[in-house]
Amino acid sequence: MKIFADTANVEEIKKINEMGLIDGVTTNPTLVAREGKDWETVEKQICEIVDGPVSAEVTASDSEGMIKQARELSGWADNIVVKIPMTAEGLKAVNVLSKEGIKTNVTLVFSAAQGLLAAKVGATYVSPFLGRLDDIGTSGIELVEKLRQLFDNYGYETEIIAASIRHVQHVEQVALAGCDIATIPGKLIPKLWEHPLTDKGLATFEKDWAEFEQLQKQKGE
Ligand code: G3P
């Protein structure tokens, strides 16, 4: 499964990218606004750091506006993917953009039916929001499972990006469900490699080794 960083924080992206862990980045208006910097500059910086796809979201709500903005955004860098909200206007826009070869990520997907329509109009990616479904007492993982089956049944090439990931279990569950990509908040990514038993085990190894070395030294004296 590919891992994307769900953040617009350039420093965070640099650090994780250096470890060879990320295959792409997703941003949205909330994440960009949080950084308080010029949108275009931020997206271009991210696109330079990361080789893989970088999603930048349109802010227009009508299809004409979205198409115009998408053409502009896709000119910012070769690896820009245009994020389009899952609305009727959004579907109209994706239908036009996919024919022009502009890569799209249909976002705010909360049902299998929405995912099916996005795939039908040629979306490159769909982003089901797991955490927000869990928040209202439904299952985000079930949606990923349904989308997987649906795309496999009909041979859609649209890739599933599990978004609104809140904890490590979400990542493990979507990987087991055959999801193509998980986009993970920058702050959550270290939690994937951290484990208290790893730390405890390492502390024991270090202590035992130091005692052994001390003993060897005393023997040699
Ligand atoms: O990729 C979508 C994500 O940023 C939304 O996450 O936690 O606000 O539901 P959240």
Side-chain angles (χ1 to χ4, degrees):
M1 183 175 69
K2 284 173 267 185
I3 291 180
F4 286 4
D6 194 23
T7 175
N9 185 292
V10 172
E11 291 312 312
E12 207 166 51
I13 293 167
K14 263 190 206 157
K15 276 192 204 149
I16 310 161
N17 190 54
E18 274 168 14
M19 295 178 73
L21 288 174
I22 53 169
D23 306 290
V25 171
T26 51
T27 66
N28 62 36
T30 305
L31 294 172
V32 173
R34 198 176 286 164
E35 297 307 308
K37 295 180 190 159
D38 175 65
W39 182 26
E40 184 174 345
T41 309
V42 169
E43 298 290 358
K44 283 182 175 172
Q45 279 175 344
I46 298 172
C47 286
E48 265 182 37
I49 300 167
V50 179
D51 292 332
V54 174
S55 290
E57 187 160 341
V58 295
T59 50
S61 53
D62 62 303
S63 61
E64 267 183 36
M66 288 181 193
I67 292 165
K68 192 167 167 272
Q69 217 178 7
R71 288 176 183 145
E72 194 188 319
L73 297 187
S74 63
W76 285 357
D78 289 343
N79 48 342
I80 283 276
V81 170
V82 182
K83 229 176 178 184
I84 307 269
M86 176 61 227
T87 58
E89 291 298 302
L91 290 174
K92 274 198 245 171
V94 174
N95 186 40
V96 172
L97 295 167
S98 60
K99 291 188 176 86
E100 290 180 14
I102 291 179
K103 290 190 175 159
T104 54
N105 172 1
V106 174
T107 188
L108 292 164
V109 167
F110 293 97
S111 75
Q114 289 182 323
L116 171 65
L117 298 187
K120 254 186 124 54
V121 291
T124 319
Y125 304 96
V126 289
S127 291
F129 274 37
L130 272 66
R132 293 191 197 183
L133 276 172
D134 291 355
D135 289 346
I136 58 159
T138 51
S139 166
I141 301 299
E142 257 177 41
L143 174 57
V144 170
E145 287 167 351
K146 284 181 186 169
L147 289 168
R148 177 73 287 145
Q149 188 178 339
L150 206 153
F151 291 177
D152 288 350
N153 283 353
Y154 297 102
Y156 286 119
E157 284 177 13
T158 304
E159 290 191 74
I160 307 165
I161 304 181
S164 185
I165 294 263
R166 300 277 171 77
H167 44 72
V168 173
Q169 284 78 9
H170 267 155
V171 180
E172 294 173 348
Q173 286 166 324
V174 298
L176 289 168
C179 194
D180 300 289
I181 301 146
T183 190
I184 310 174
K187 302 249 174 312
L188 183 61
I189 293 180
K191 302 273 176 266
L192 295 177
W193 68 73
E194 288 168 1
H195 198 287
L197 290 180
T198 305
D199 297 342
K200 198 178 164 205
L202 187 59
T204 306
F205 289 154
E206 283 172 353
K207 181 178 150 288
D208 290 347
W209 191 253
E211 284 171 6
F212 171 70
E213 277 190 321
Q214 186 64 29
L215 221 64
Q216 294 295 94
K217 214 173 133 194
Q218 282 166 3
K219 273 188 196 167
E221 276 168 4

